[in-house]
């Protein structure tokens, strides 16, 4: 009998007990019927006992598995940490990235961003931005854009932001799903970061016209929202604003 069947059968034990009580006080029921009901109740009690034993064994197995997971979490195997619950304390921020701490967090577009360029039709997009640190003198970032109606993935990029020691000079290193890898450099002043492409590399079959230069400006506005403005120049078009988007912070 399965556990579900036992549970269903056990749930009827109370009904049988009530029936037994009724039979015991009814002059129309004979002794053999009462004995039969008593036997059924005893059978149900036995099934309940078996069920409790099964549950107890399952609890024991769960505890043993948890002990093994705890033991594995203390061993530093490559990639193992991604399979286990994250329980460590957040790393302490490196003082080197303090000037960019206002960028940290998870940000969502609010409202949708807008894009335009002489060779493109105007468009809108949603975007999620995740900027974090792991205690190193560098910030990690990812930008993931989505179509506002279909939610299909669009532009995606990820990389790192570094500061030159004892200066406000910033380097922004980015790899994009369009086949472009770029290094941008600039300066952070208060809660504003302005950077311009220093070098751009691309795959051999990147879509034309090729991007020749990119500039970005990040700023934290008076409402506590993060703004990004991107301009670019291609081999056929001069430097022109391409993207503008505002994000609201959803997690620190």
């Amino acid at each position: 009998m399965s556990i579900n069947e036992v549970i269903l059968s056990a749930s009827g034990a109370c009904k049988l007990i009530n029936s037994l009580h009724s039979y015991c006080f009814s002059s129309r029921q004979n002794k053999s019927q009462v004995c039969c009901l008593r036997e059924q109740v005893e059978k149900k009690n036995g099934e309940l006992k078996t069920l409790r034993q099964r549950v107890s064994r399952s609890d024991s197995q769960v505890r043993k598995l948890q002990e093994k997971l705890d033991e594995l979490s203390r061993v530093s195997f490559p990639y193992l940490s991604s399979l286990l619950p994250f329980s460590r304390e957040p790393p302490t921020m490196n003082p080197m990235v303090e000037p960019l701490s206002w960028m940290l967090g998870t940000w969502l577009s609010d409202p949708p961003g807008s894009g335009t360029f002489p060779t493109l039709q105007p468009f809108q997009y949603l975007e999620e931005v995740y900027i974090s640190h792991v205690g190193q003198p560098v910030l990690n970032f990812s930008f993931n854009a989505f179509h506002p109606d279909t939610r299909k993935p669009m532009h995606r990029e990820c990389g790192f932001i570094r500061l030159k020691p004892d200066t406000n000079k910033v380097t922004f290193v980015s790899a994009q799903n369009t086949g472009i890898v770029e290094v941008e450099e600039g300066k952070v002043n208060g809660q504003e970061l302005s950077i311009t492409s220093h070098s751009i590399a691309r795959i051999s079959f990147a879509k034309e016209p090729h991007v020749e230069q990119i500039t970005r400006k990040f700023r934290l506005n008076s409402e506590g929202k993060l703004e990004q403005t991107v301009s670019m120049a291609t081999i056929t078009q001069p430097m022109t604003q391409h993207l503008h988007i505002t994000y609201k912070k959803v997690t620190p």
Side-chain angles (χ1 to χ4, degrees):
M1 179 179 290
S2 68
I3 291 179
N4 287 336
E5 290 173 335
V6 171
I7 292 173
L8 290 173
S9 299
S11 66
C14 290
K15 293 181 180 180
L16 288 172
I17 292 172
N18 290 335
S19 298
L20 177 60
H21 182 273
S22 176
Y23 278 117
C24 288
F25 290 93
S26 174
S27 59
R28 292 176 296 178
Q29 304 301 326
N30 56 39
K31 185 176 180 179
S32 62
Q33 290 175 313
V34 173
C35 291
C36 180
L37 286 172
R38 183 180 292 111
E39 290 174 357
Q40 292 183 47
V41 170
E42 290 175 352
K43 180 180 179 181
K44 299 302 179 183
N45 286 336
E47 292 172 349
L48 282 172
K49 182 179 179 181
T50 301
L51 177 60
R52 292 192 187 99
Q53 291 173 345
R54 291 182 181 178
V55 171
S56 178
R57 286 196 296 269
S58 297
D59 289 343
S60 177
Q61 292 172 347
V62 169
R63 284 194 298 271
K64 289 180 180 179
L65 286 173
Q66 186 61 53
E67 289 172 359
K68 289 182 179 180
L69 283 174
D70 292 341
E71 182 180 353
L72 287 173
S73 66
R74 293 190 292 269
V75 182
S76 182
F77 288 119
Y79 313 115
L80 180 61
S81 59
S82 64
L83 304 176
L84 300 172
F86 185 79
S87 59
R88 293 181 300 170
E89 291 294 324
T92 301
M93 182 185 298
N94 192 295
M96 284 287 296
V97 295
E98 283 286 354
L100 295 173
S101 60
W102 51 274
M103 299 182 71
L104 290 170
T106 301
W107 306 80
L108 294 178
S109 51
D110 180 36
S114 59
T116 184
F117 203 69
T119 57
L120 298 173
Q121 291 292 327
F123 63 93
Q124 290 189 319
Y125 63 102
L126 305 177
E127 191 163 55
E128 179 185 43
V129 177
Y130 181 58
I131 304 176
S132 64
H133 73 91
V134 293
Q136 295 178 321
V138 60
L139 297 185
N140 314 310
F141 70 82
S142 65
F143 293 80
N144 301 305
F146 302 87
H147 191 281
D149 298 324
T150 65
R151 298 300 194 272
K152 289 184 177 180
M154 296 172 62
H155 183 79
R156 306 171 81 85
E157 62 180 301
C158 60
F160 307 94
I161 308 174
R162 300 184 66 94
L163 286 95
K164 184 177 180 179
D166 303 320
T167 72
N168 65 341
K169 187 174 182 179
V170 178
T171 297
F172 184 96
V173 183
S174 168
Q176 306 176 25
N177 64 344
T178 54
I180 292 177
V181 177
E182 59 170 314
V183 175
E184 301 177 31
E185 294 187 351
K187 294 181 179 181
V188 56
N189 292 297
Q191 295 180 328
E192 183 172 300
L193 171 63
S194 298
I195 48 180
T196 301
S197 57
H198 179 268
S199 61
I200 297 177
R202 62 180 58 85
I203 58 177
S204 61
F205 50 92
K207 185 178 179 180
E208 295 185 353
H210 292 160
V211 175
E212 294 285 289
Q213 191 174 23
I214 297 175
T215 67
R216 302 180 197 240
K217 178 179 288 187
F218 296 92
R219 64 182 290 267
L220 195 67
N221 65 25
S222 59
E223 298 178 348
K225 292 185 176 182
L226 182 66
E227 295 183 21
Q228 180 185 191
T229 302
V230 179
S231 299
M232 69 178 184
T234 68
I235 57 176
T236 61
Q237 298 294 331
M239 183 64 68
T240 306
Q241 181 172 311
H242 175 43
L243 304 171
H244 180 75
I245 190 167
T246 301
Y247 313 94
K248 65 178 180 180
K249 181 178 285 191
V250 293
T251 63

